[in-house]
Amino acid sequence: MARPTKYDPALCETVISVGEQGGTLAAMAEACDIHRETLNEWLKIHPEFSDAVKRGLQKAQVLWEEKGMK
């Protein structure tokens, strides 16, 4: 019997917030209190979570690019 998932759609906001602070996939997993492998599985089965992670990573990239230009 499988364990119940910790997934909650509210975690989409969590990963976007981590990205806004420059966080990585590992930081996003930690903020969700899950293992990185679980994050990878959620990316496959929860389209809204996948979109949120992509947005978060994009925000992180912009933040680091702007810091690099200074």
Side-chain angles (χ1 to χ4, degrees):
M1 184 175 216
R3 292 186 310 188
T5 183
K6 288 184 175 182
Y7 181 74
D8 179 342
L11 292 171
C12 293
E13 291 301 319
T14 300
V15 296
I16 291 171
S17 176
V18 170
E20 288 173 340
Q21 298 169 40
T24 62
L25 288 172
M28 291 175 183
E30 189 64 27
C32 294
D33 194 29
I34 58 171
H35 192 278
R36 173 68 192 278
E37 291 177 17
T38 303
L39 184 133
N40 290 338
E41 286 301 312
W42 289 0
L43 290 172
K44 296 175 193 172
I45 59 177
H46 299 289
E48 70 282 0
F49 186 73
S50 178
D51 289 344
V53 168
K54 289 174 188 173
R55 288 216 46 215
L57 290 173
Q58 180 173 290
K59 289 177 177 292
Q61 182 176 351
V62 168
L63 177 112
W64 292 114
E65 287 174 356
E66 288 175 349
K67 285 183 182 268
M69 287 189 281
K70 290 184 182 177

